[in-house]
Amino acid sequence: MQVPGSNFVAAVERMSRALEQLASAPSALAVLQEVVRCAASSVGLERAAIVWQDVDGRLLTQATPGVCPEALAACGRRLLDTPPPEPVPWLFHQTERGLAPGLAGVMDGLGAASLLALPVRAAGGGGVGVLLGPSPEPRGFSPEEMRRFTLYAQLAGLAIERGRWVESARTSALQARAEAEQAELLRLTSFQAVTEAFGRALTREDVGRAVLELGVPAVGALGGTVHQASADGCSVELVAAVGTAEKELALVRTLPREMSGMPGYDAAARGVPVWLESPEEARARYPVFSVYMAHQPCQAFAFLPLLVEQRNLGLLAFGFAQARRFTELQRTLMLGLARQCAQAMERARLYENERAARLQAEAAGQRLQLLADAGVLLSGSLEWESTVASVARLAVGGFSDWCAVDFLDDHGALRRLTVQHVRPERSLMHDKIESYSPERSRPSAITEVVRTGRSQLFTGLVPPFTRRAEARPGEGPAGGGSCLIVPLVARQRTLGAMSFVRGPEHSPFTDADRSLAEDLAARTGMAIDNARLLRKARSAEAESRRNAARLRSLVEVDKLLAEAGLDLPAVLDVIARKVSEVLGDGCVLQLMAEDGAFLEPVTIHHPDPEARWLLAGTVHARRQKLGEGLHGGAVSNGRAVLLPDIDVEEARASGGLPEYLPYLDRYGPQSLLVVPLTVKGRVFGSLGVVRDVAGGRPYGEEDQMLLQSLGERAALAIEDARLYGAATEAVRLRDDFLSVAGHELKTPLSALRLQIQMLARTAREVATTPGLAQRVEKAERTSERLGALIDELLDAGRITAGRLKLEREEVDLAALTRDTVGRMSEALARTGSEVKLQADAAVPGRWDRVRLEQVVGNLLSNAAKYGRGQPVEVRVEPGMDGRARLVVKDNGIGIAPEDQARIFERFERAVNGQQFNGLGLGLWISREIVESHGGHILVRSAPGEGSTFTVELPRE
């Protein structure tokens, strides 16, 4: 291209024509229309709008369809005239307290429940407009949405500023065109081409090439370079170059961010252009650079910082063949070119960021879609083998070229479940893929992943015959395929592994792919584990239902047996009825006779009365010996006998079922099951059931187990009832004997005591053999004690037989206690126990005097016997709720806590041995007497600390 002269008129004309061509590029309105549409879409809104002022202060608007122009203009004018305070973006809600009425009105006009607004600023920082996002529903916006909205506000600012600049430049150009319309047509055309190139440029490299390829001829330069700051900010990198040899580019391809004494660094650091019009000026200002300049064909340089919003993006440099003096117009033109280049590079940066964000979002969406589709597959079926194969099939194509799943079987061996390939015919070659590893340990890589539970990533995979170099995992050579192996883990257990392979034509797996594969494997592992557990659970549930049914039957039998108690007939009836109900139809219970040679039928049940009558008749008519028939054989062998299906012909042929022949002949084929009744290894009977095969299923092993369990409970219940009956009979006989013996001993003992008392009086009146009186006195005490024992035996018999009668009358418990203590004072004195009585106040009530005297006497005798000669305290006092209370306290040997309940039972004593006489009936008789009066007796004691017996009686 031939560059025109540089006279002032020609320069002005060239600038005018260039800017006029620039204005013919896509208008700011078109750009703003696209910005508004994209801004609405980026935050999930249907509508968006922008309001701005042109250079003349007129209010202009651009909106998506559906926005009221009047309301939009009013809203924009309000926000531009009186902007709300920081921070920005502004977010207004109709329901917000303190919302200005005027703003609420314009929001109504816009149909917005929530309004997102962001000021649009020019490159110099001043506000030129506002970007609006009305939402018909109340809502908030995420930080990511705010960031995207801000990006589009920045793009709108650039477009508005570009429009303003174009408009202003057009005005200046029109004025200059009046002076020199034809002189600079070529230069304006060049600038138009630059502007159009900027509009087409999508990357910073495109922008650099456009500004140099079109800008260098436009400014009359010999060559130029564009540098930009690196991502880490530590250096500047070459973006594009024109008119520079390749070997010279190597010196300037990457430069440090700080280079003192260099004009480019000076321009970038201070943000102002550096003009070097001659080598002499370069030597004077930048001696270091002048050395470089001496070897260059250029004699003048212009270094222009690329500034956007006070941010330095890089440097634009032009080199000129001849030394020159840069006129004001030339400087203005180059600065304008640098400014447009900076804006274009900023747009390219925003576009690249937006594109990268979009690609990341698309990749994340694909990952989420893969996980979602896999989740649907994994949750849709319990056949995990086919489901996992479907997940592997889903992974190939979009995520990998090849996928295999290996799992640990029940024996811990690694099995291959499925292999999927993007080309199905290659799935059969999965065994050859194993050898494509860059390491010798690769054949065991899957085993290693399963063993350690950690994923492994291999890159640079190539077939053995094309392998160029060994590589370590994650550090493979450029090119080649990649392999990713992740464990199938569930509940901290490794169940297997998933393997993914990508071919050389695709980019290798990354850490993000590893995370996705681990997430997919985790879900797959959990699905496998859940399916396995569910299978086991269903199997266990079926078994549990069967066990629960058996358990319910056993619990019901236990409950009925408990309700039947120890009544043998009731127990036998419960067993027969419940067994017939659970295992039916009929039930036959036989017990061994006393002679031990025969079985006696004791209970037979059947829900059908006619069948029950026939079954009972046949079983009773054929009394079986041990070892004969079905029941006799079960008792003799001690093992259950099961005949799942037998008819009358088979029974006759076997000869072993004589008791069931009439029943089989009448009702057809039956299923028979008999179990022995055993207690402590002793067989004493049999329990058998019969069921009609035509009406129900034959008996099986589960039925046998259930009947054996029922038989065990039946045997225990029958044995307990038998033992209880025998024990009850023995107790009855004992009580009858004691009652008879007591009455028989009472009469001669009374006569003996009378004779001893007469002898004692005679011995005291007449002095005879020394010591005779004492011996007679001992004989008298012995007879009294023998009488008391006989009375206790008689009372025990009466209480046991329920014949204890109370003769109630008005009694003063305090006076009764004083009298009893007085009568027993001599006996208490012989033991050395002093009685401290506190019974001053009367405590009246309706009680049996004789029985209460017996209670007081028993407690005093007990205190004297175990009191170790220590004082005995006796108190009579009113108790709680109007009751009467008697307290007897000794300081004797005491009673252990575990014995305090036992001493109130029959024939029980706190201390075993011969040093304390008695039958162990006194406290039991006292408790029965007190409880018969509606009261209660209790003891508080500890070993070595004495005992305190408390009796409380109701007064009525």
Side-chain angles (χ1 to χ4, degrees):
M1 172 187 303
Q2 182 177 359
V3 181
S6 57
N7 61 79
F8 177 77
V9 175
V12 171
E13 185 61 16
R14 288 196 296 272
M15 176 183 176
S16 174
R17 294 298 299 272
L19 293 179
E20 195 166 305
Q21 293 297 325
L22 178 64
S24 65
S27 67
L29 289 178
V31 175
L32 291 174
Q33 182 178 5
E34 184 65 16
V35 168
V36 167
R37 185 186 64 79
C38 294
S41 175
S42 69
V43 294
L45 296 175
E46 295 182 358
R47 300 176 299 163
I50 184 169
V51 182
W52 77 97
Q53 292 178 335
D54 63 2
V55 292
D56 298 327
R58 292 178 301 171
L59 197 66
L60 303 177
T61 63
Q62 183 67 46
T64 58
V67 179
C68 176
E70 293 78 11
L72 177 60
C75 182
R77 184 176 296 105
R78 181 177 184 84
L79 293 178
L80 290 173
D81 293 343
T82 56
E86 300 289 336
V88 294
W90 302 310
L91 183 59
F92 307 102
H93 301 283
Q94 286 280 21
T95 58
E96 181 180 353
R97 291 184 177 181
L99 184 66
L103 186 58
V106 296
M107 287 178 66
D108 286 336
L110 292 173
S114 295
L115 179 63
L116 177 63
L118 190 69
V120 178
R121 303 185 186 279
V128 297
V130 61
L131 181 62
L132 303 175
S135 172
E137 301 293 336
R139 60 163 290 183
F141 296 87
S142 67
E144 178 61 23
E145 291 175 330
M146 293 289 195
R147 189 185 69 80
R148 292 197 295 265
F149 205 73
T150 303
L151 289 178
Y152 284 106
Q154 294 174 357
L155 288 175
L158 294 175
I160 292 173
E161 186 178 36
R162 174 178 172 274
R164 284 183 170 185
W165 183 81
V166 170
E167 187 65 25
S168 177
R170 181 183 294 112
T171 301
S172 300
L174 289 176
Q175 294 175 355
R177 188 183 305 138
E179 299 176 359
E181 184 174 352
Q182 300 296 326
E184 299 294 333
L185 179 60
L186 183 58
R187 188 176 298 274
L188 291 178
T189 304
S190 300
F191 271 94
Q192 179 185 11
V194 172
T195 305
E196 291 176 352
F198 283 163
R200 293 190 299 270
L202 297 179
T203 66
R204 281 172 281 189
E205 290 77 9
D206 293 342
V207 172
R209 285 192 298 270
V211 74
L212 293 178
E213 291 175 358
L214 300 177
V216 166
V219 300
L222 183 62
T225 59
V226 176
H227 283 80
Q228 68 172 0
S230 62
D232 56 10
C234 298
S235 61
V236 290
E237 298 172 348
L238 182 66
V239 175
V242 170
T244 305
E246 187 65 29
K247 63 178 181 178
E248 296 177 356
L249 289 179
L251 300 175
V252 297
R253 193 171 299 278
T254 301
L255 299 174
R257 186 68 181 264
E258 296 184 3
M259 295 179 62
S260 58
M262 299 297 287
Y265 168 73
D266 196 11
R270 293 190 296 119
V272 295
V274 173
W275 312 97
L276 297 179
E277 299 178 335
S278 65
E280 291 76 13
E281 183 180 3
R283 282 193 295 271
R285 296 177 59 186
Y286 303 100
V288 177
F289 179 73
S290 65
V291 177
Y292 169 79
M293 188 175 176
H295 298 87
Q296 299 298 320
C298 298
Q299 299 298 307
F301 286 91
F303 297 94
L304 310 169
L306 302 177
L307 299 176
V308 171
E309 297 180 354
Q310 307 303 317
R311 290 184 298 108
N312 192 349
L313 304 183
L315 187 73
L316 172 62
F318 290 111
F320 298 87
Q322 301 295 329
R324 64 171 60 200
R325 179 173 182 80
F326 296 109
T327 65
E328 190 65 28
L329 179 59
Q330 290 174 332
R331 296 188 181 198
T332 302
L333 291 177
M334 285 187 281
L335 286 174
L337 190 61
R339 184 168 59 252
Q340 285 220 24
C341 178
Q343 293 174 353
M345 291 189 70
E346 178 67 6
R347 286 197 301 271
R349 184 186 67 83
L350 294 176
Y351 172 78
E352 290 173 358
N353 292 343
E354 189 273 336
R355 182 173 179 273
R358 185 173 67 253
L359 293 176
Q360 291 178 357
E362 291 175 356
Q366 292 174 355
R367 292 187 176 95
L368 292 176
Q369 187 62 43
L370 175 60
L371 294 177
D373 294 343
V376 172
L377 290 174
L378 293 172
S379 62
S381 173
L382 297 179
E383 299 298 328
W384 64 269
E385 294 89 348
S386 59
T387 301
V388 172
S390 299
V391 171
R393 194 176 305 114
L394 186 67
V396 300
F399 181 71
S400 66
D401 296 330
W402 180 89
C403 177
V405 179
D406 301 271
F407 72 98
L408 293 173
D409 61 14
D410 295 336
H411 304 289
L414 201 59
R415 306 292 184 187
R416 176 142 292 180
L417 174 65
T418 184
V419 174
Q420 301 295 329
H421 196 282
V422 68
R423 295 172 61 181
E425 67 273 10
R426 293 193 177 181
S427 297
L428 302 177
M429 301 178 62
H430 66 85
D431 54 335
K432 297 182 180 180
I433 298 294
E434 296 285 332
S435 61
Y436 286 7
S437 168
E439 287 190 338
R440 295 180 181 178
S441 61
R442 176 61 185 89
S444 62
I446 294 177
T447 306
E448 182 68 14
V449 168
V450 172
R451 185 184 67 83
T452 62
R454 294 192 295 269
S455 59
Q456 292 193 19
L457 173 61
F458 301 90
T459 57
L461 297 180
V462 293
F465 52 84
T466 61
R467 181 173 301 179
R468 295 180 298 274
E470 294 292 331
R472 291 178 297 182
E475 299 180 359
S482 59
C483 176
L484 179 60
I485 306 174
V486 293
L488 297 172
V489 179
R491 298 177 180 88
Q492 300 181 352
R493 293 184 300 109
T494 302
L495 308 180
M498 291 187 76
S499 305
F500 304 92
V501 173
R502 283 182 183 173
E505 63 275 11
H506 297 111
S507 60
F509 290 114
T510 63
D511 289 338
D513 296 323
R514 185 201 294 257
S515 299
L516 173 62
E518 288 174 348
D519 196 355
L520 180 62
R523 300 187 183 200
T524 304
M526 186 61 68
I528 293 175
D529 194 49
N530 289 340
R532 285 179 170 179
L533 291 177
L534 186 58
R535 287 183 183 177
K536 294 179 181 178
R538 286 186 171 179
S539 177
E541 182 181 2
E543 180 65 21
S544 176
R545 283 196 295 267
R546 292 191 294 270
N547 292 336
R550 290 196 294 267
L551 183 60
R552 282 195 299 270
S553 301
L554 296 176
V555 169
E556 291 176 3
V557 170
D558 289 340
K559 180 180 178 182
L560 293 174
L561 290 175
E563 293 174 353
L566 296 172
D567 183 6
L568 182 58
V571 169
L572 296 175
D573 184 66
V574 165
I575 294 171
R577 290 181 178 274
K578 193 60 184 176
V579 170
S580 176
E581 175 186 335
V582 174
L583 290 170
D585 301 327
C587 176
V588 177
L589 177 61
Q590 301 192 68
L591 300 179
M592 193 179 296
E594 293 182 0
D595 57 9
F598 289 90
L599 289 176
E600 295 288 350
V602 292
T603 304
I604 298 175
H605 182 76
H606 197 288
D608 184 359
E610 180 182 353
R612 182 169 61 249
W613 175 83
L614 177 60
L615 189 60
T618 57
V619 172
H620 280 287
R622 291 167 175 80
R623 191 165 178 244
Q624 292 180 326
K625 291 183 179 181
L626 294 185
E628 294 181 354
L630 196 62
H631 289 259
V635 173
S636 177
N637 298 327
R639 295 192 298 269
V641 178
L642 172 61
L643 299 177
D645 188 358
I646 188 170
D647 57 18
V648 66
E649 298 299 331
E650 293 174 333
R652 285 197 182 96
S654 67
L657 298 173
E659 69 272 35
Y660 286 102
L661 284 177
Y663 188 85
L664 293 172
D665 188 41
R666 170 67 177 81
Y667 289 101
Q670 302 290 316
S671 186
L672 301 174
L673 176 60
V674 178
V675 297
L677 299 178
T678 306
V679 172
K680 297 180 181 180
R682 179 176 59 87
V683 180
F684 65 91
S686 65
L687 179 63
V689 289
V690 57
R691 175 188 290 169
D692 188 355
V693 176
R697 61 176 179 82
Y699 291 125
E701 293 183 0
E702 292 186 1
D703 299 310
Q704 179 176 327
M705 293 172 56
L706 177 58
L707 186 60
Q708 285 176 334
S709 298
L710 292 171
E712 293 172 358
R713 286 163 169 74
L716 291 174
I718 293 171
E719 183 69 8
D720 290 344
R722 281 179 163 182
L723 294 176
Y724 176 75
T728 302
E729 181 64 18
V731 171
R732 186 187 65 78
L733 294 175
R734 184 199 65 186
D735 291 341
D736 290 346
F737 170 76
L738 291 176
S739 179
V740 172
H743 283 288
E744 292 297 327
L745 291 174
K746 187 78 171 174
T747 301
L749 182 61
S750 298
L752 178 61
R753 291 180 62 187
L754 181 61
Q755 294 298 324
I756 291 175
Q757 289 172 359
M758 293 174 62
L759 180 60
R761 284 197 299 272
T762 302
R764 286 192 294 271
E765 294 172 357
V766 181
T768 58
T769 305
L772 177 60
Q774 289 80 2
R775 287 193 291 273
V776 172
E777 184 177 354
K778 290 182 180 179
E780 182 179 6
R781 289 198 299 270
T782 302
S783 65
E784 290 176 355
R785 187 164 59 252
L786 183 59
L789 293 175
I790 292 174
D791 288 339
E792 286 183 350
L793 289 175
L794 292 175
D795 285 340
R798 295 188 190 99
I799 292 172
T800 302
R803 298 196 301 271
L804 179 64
K805 296 182 180 180
L806 300 179
E807 300 293 337
R808 292 179 180 268
E809 58 179 307
E810 290 293 332
V811 178
D812 182 2
L813 182 59
L816 182 145
T817 304
R818 289 194 296 271
D819 293 344
T820 305
V821 171
R823 286 197 303 273
M824 297 184 63
S825 59
E826 184 178 352
L828 293 171
R830 285 197 298 270
T831 64
S833 298
E834 177 187 358
V835 178
K836 298 179 180 180
L837 177 63
Q838 298 179 11
D840 300 331
V843 183
R846 289 186 58 79
W847 303 301
D848 187 318
R849 179 185 294 277
V850 175
R851 293 302 179 187
L852 286 190
E853 288 178 349
Q854 188 176 358
V855 171
V856 177
N858 287 341
L859 295 178
L860 289 173
S861 298
N862 191 72
K865 183 187 301 183
Y866 300 105
R868 298 188 298 189
Q870 299 298 318
V872 177
E873 300 178 10
V874 180
R875 299 196 313 272
V876 179
E877 58 192 12
M880 299 291 293
D881 299 329
R883 290 174 170 250
R885 179 183 297 155
L886 169 65
V887 180
V888 179
K889 179 180 180 182
D890 65 65
N891 295 284
I893 63 175
I895 307 169
E898 62 270 16
D899 296 330
Q900 292 180 12
R902 180 176 58 82
I903 61 175
F904 290 102
E905 300 299 329
R906 283 190 301 178
F907 306 110
E908 293 287 352
R909 296 188 299 177
V911 179
N912 295 323
Q914 303 298 324
Q915 66 270 32
F916 300 104
N917 55 22
L919 297 175
L921 290 172
L923 290 178
W924 177 67
I925 292 174
S926 299
R927 187 193 69 179
E928 294 295 329
I929 292 173
V930 171
E931 291 181 353
S932 297
H933 281 85
H936 62 269
I937 180 171
L938 55 89
V939 62
R940 289 186 290 106
S941 179
E945 298 180 4
S947 304
T948 301
F949 289 87
T950 303
V951 176
E952 289 196 353
L953 296 168
R955 303 213 181 183
E956 295 294 336

